[in-house]
Amino acid sequence: MTNLDERPAPERQKRVLQAAYTLFLRDGYRVSMGSVAREAGVSKQTVYAYFENKDTLFHAAVEQLVLPLHASLAPEGRDLSDTLQALAQAHHTHVMDHDNVALGRMLIAEAPRFPAAAKTFFRTAIDLIAARLARCMAEAMDQGRMRREDPDVAAELFLSMLHGLEGDRRLFGMRARGQRAQDEWARHAVTVFMHAYDIRSDGEARSNKKPGNGTEFS
């Protein structure tokens, strides 16, 4: 039988991350590096060779969790509506995942005891996605493909529209939307958002404004 510590480094690291994710879900943030090593079937030295401490291990596990969301925003520079639709689909898959919901519940419950872990999850899984989406929108604004507004506000607005109450429904164990209903919600959110930020909106508003409607000062 092959010693797991002798397997290729990428495989060992993957096993450690999967073991850590499993234990975080089962036992909360109180898990030890030793328990992660036992779950992964490697030595504690192997775990520490990849991750300095539990905080860095948790950060890496969360990064792996949100990779599909980041992937949906690449390549940057493509049609914005396509980007938003891809993000919507990846987001729905992320929200639908029972493990992700369980991890969110765990962090909410343990945030008072482990505030750093909760902040790590928020910054990695939410803040970075919002920041990257804001860069995509800023680029679209610079290229005249989107009405110029604050891109950070626009990104947060879209993510809020996309999320709706679905995450809360799952967090509290309520009945959630089915796949077809969620796909329709995502399409509607993209349509409404793109209409609100359509580059033609300002010009159309000005062209439709009749002389004398505004207050004039002499």
Side-chain angles (χ1 to χ4, degrees):
M1 183 174 179
T2 305
N3 188 325
L4 293 177
D5 284 315
E6 297 175 354
R7 292 189 178 185
E11 183 177 343
R12 293 199 305 269
Q13 187 173 14
K14 183 178 179 180
R15 288 183 65 88
V16 170
L17 282 173
Q18 183 58 53
Y21 187 66
T22 299
L23 291 179
F24 283 133
L25 285 175
R26 192 185 72 192
D27 302 329
Y29 196 70
R30 65 181 64 86
V31 299
S32 66
M33 297 290 269
S35 62
V36 172
R38 289 190 294 274
E39 180 73 19
V42 299
S43 67
K44 189 186 294 187
Q45 289 77 12
T46 296
V47 177
Y48 278 107
Y50 296 114
F51 306 102
E52 181 181 357
N53 51 44
K54 187 166 65 175
D55 289 341
T56 58
L57 176 57
F58 181 74
H59 185 272
V62 175
E63 282 187 328
Q64 289 294 311
L65 179 69
V66 297
L67 275 179
L69 296 179
H70 282 285
S72 71
L73 294 172
E76 288 151 351
R78 64 180 168 177
D79 184 76
L80 184 61
S81 62
D82 291 340
T83 297
L84 297 183
Q85 192 62 51
L87 176 60
Q89 293 174 351
H91 181 272
H92 178 55
T93 300
H94 179 81
V95 171
M96 285 280 287
D97 188 277
H98 294 295
D99 286 346
N100 295 346
V101 174
L103 183 62
R105 287 174 177 158
M106 180 274 289
L107 288 170
I108 289 173
E110 299 205 344
R113 295 180 58 206
F114 303 105
K119 289 179 181 178
T120 292
F121 182 84
F122 185 86
R123 289 169 179 163
T124 306
I126 300 174
D127 264 358
L128 288 179
I129 296 296
R132 188 168 180 183
L133 178 59
R135 289 197 297 272
C136 291
M137 291 183 174
E139 181 180 286
M141 292 174 188
D142 290 340
Q143 296 174 352
R145 296 184 288 113
M146 181 177 175
R147 182 162 56 85
R148 182 164 295 282
E149 295 284 353
D150 186 327
D152 293 315
V153 172
E156 185 171 343
L157 177 62
F158 177 72
L159 290 173
S160 299
M161 293 171 63
L162 191 58
H163 194 272
L165 299 178
E166 192 65 5
D168 295 321
R169 290 189 185 98
R170 295 185 179 279
L171 189 62
F172 290 101
M174 305 299 290
R175 183 178 180 181
R177 297 188 192 98
Q179 181 68 53
R180 182 177 298 179
Q182 182 59 31
D183 288 345
E184 182 59 31
W185 174 276
R187 283 192 293 270
H188 185 63
V190 172
T191 299
V192 170
F193 182 86
M194 292 302 297
H195 179 74
Y197 281 89
D198 193 328
I199 192 65
R200 296 168 296 179
S201 297
D202 287 342
E204 289 175 353
R206 284 193 295 271
S207 64
N208 292 332
K209 185 177 180 181
K210 296 180 180 179
N213 283 352
T215 302
E216 297 182 358
F217 297 91
S218 56

